[in-house]
Amino acid sequence: MRWTYSCPYCSAMLNPDETIVLVAAHGMTRVLMGFHPEPGNYKAYMPPGVSVESGEVWDFSCPLCHASLISYVDRDLCGIDMHKRGEKHRVYFSRTAGKYATFVCSPSGDVQTHGDHAGAHSLELLEFV
């Protein structure tokens, strides 16, 4: 596994295999949703019968402590921690289906951007926490 992800609140591992697992909620729908761990790869895995329409805004939370992952620095993004080569990074990703924007913030303050819609967000607000 190249990347290990965890909840920023309880530190629970979110990808026990290669898939990041989060609780996803939209309207009356509440499911476990899986995501590809590579920043910039927007492959998502939904339960049978669940569809995601472009433009829908989803809420994401930790499947263990149930803390909301919506970022206080940008309410359009959610944040989780990524551990890579022994170093912790903060990863922010868009809550809106079809909007491809991911940001990887390193402890040194560097921000890597991924996705066609990353430019719609202010990088000054993003920070490693």
Side-chain angles (χ1 to χ4, degrees), residues 5 9 37-38 56-60 73 77 79 96 98 102 104 107:
Y5 291 87
Y9 300 101
E38 181 180 4
E56 290 179 342
V57 178
W58 286 74
D59 296 330
F60 294 97
V73 295
L77 303 174
T96 305
T102 305
V104 180

Side-chain angles (χ1 to χ4, degrees), residues 47-88:
V50 174
S51 62
V52 175
E53 301 296 325
S54 186
E56 290 179 342
V57 178
W58 286 74
D59 296 330
F60 294 97
S61 59
C62 174
L64 286 122
C65 74
H66 308 291
S68 173
L69 299 174
I70 297 171
S71 171
Y72 66 90
V73 295
D74 185 335
R75 304 270 313 149
D76 293 329
L77 303 174
C78 285
I80 57 177
D81 290 338
M82 175 178 71
H83 308 271
K84 183 177 175 183
R85 293 189 285 263
E87 189 173 73
K88 184 167 88 170

Side-chain angles (χ1 to χ4, degrees), residues 21-63:
V21 179
L22 301 175
V23 174
H26 176 73
M28 297 301 290
T29 303
R30 184 174 165 87
V31 298
L32 287 176
M33 198 176 286
F35 298 92
H36 195 283
E38 181 180 4
N41 184 327
Y42 296 99
K43 176 79 173 151
Y45 307 93
M46 270 79 54
V50 174
S51 62
V52 175
E53 301 296 325
S54 186
E56 290 179 342
V57 178
W58 286 74
D59 296 330
F60 294 97
S61 59
C62 174

